[in-house]
Amino acid sequence: MIRMESLLATVLASCVIPVLAGCAGTLGAPTPAAAAELAPTGVLRVAVFTGNPVIGAKDKATGEVKGTTVTLGRALAARTGVSATIIEYTSVAKMVEDAKTGAWDIAVVAFDPARRGVLDFAPPHITVDLTYLIAPGSAINSVAEADRPGVKISAARGAATTLYLERTLKQAAVTPAENEPAAFNLIKEGKAEAYAQNRYMLLGMAAGLPGARVLADRFSTAAMCIVLPKGRPAALEYVGAFVREARKSGLIARVIEDAGLRGVEVAREAP
């Protein structure tokens, strides 16, 4: 579903984004080649998956798409000298698939090597634990205890958690659902014993399901990255430089704080 920014959002962005862009450090404007690859239509099309609030969310009252990806996308657009258009996705699998047709210019997903055939990854900017929400009444108390015969683990189709678990689980079975709400419903309906996602999302969901628990340990961490469709090397290099400066300047930390994300951290600098 595509949602064009409102006039009000555009006006606000014109006031706020130059400030945010300036916070990212001393990175200059992209070269003409990088700018052409980054925004080939003359507008930076920012795809935002709203099923994961670490990446983005939709305000139920106003319908506005907001969150970390929106803020960073607008800041990057300001650096590039173009406006930003926000494209909402409610399915991460669909968003990744649309990269093949060039339907968007940048997005944010968790790094997974299975996605390298379609996406090019900038350095990570956010990390968060991946763990399980355990269904009410279940005796599972650790990640290791979840990987046993007969245990069904729900996860959204195409999500990084799903891709990871399909490669690593030895005895438990992944039960894929079409999206995150559907995966959570499998827990509520007693059709799965655990639900895999990032800790921030699971803590919020557990609060609305009496008896549900989020495990203290984790099976992995998700490294959130700005991604581009394959084959835009100059743009990728520029986005990588933008991310590195945004981490150093504190912009990423402020974006996390503004979004109110508990248990989410700025990704460490690469060695």
Side-chain angles (χ1 to χ4, degrees), residues 42 44 102 111 147 162 182 231 247:
L44 185 66
F111 175 79
D147 192 5
T162 310
R247 289 187 308 204

Side-chain angles (χ1 to χ4, degrees), residues 121-144:
F121 288 81
H125 57 282
I126 288 174
T127 58
V128 61
D129 285 352
L130 297 179
T131 187
Y132 296 126
L133 173 71
I134 304 302
S138 171
I140 294 174
N141 289 306
S142 69
V143 166

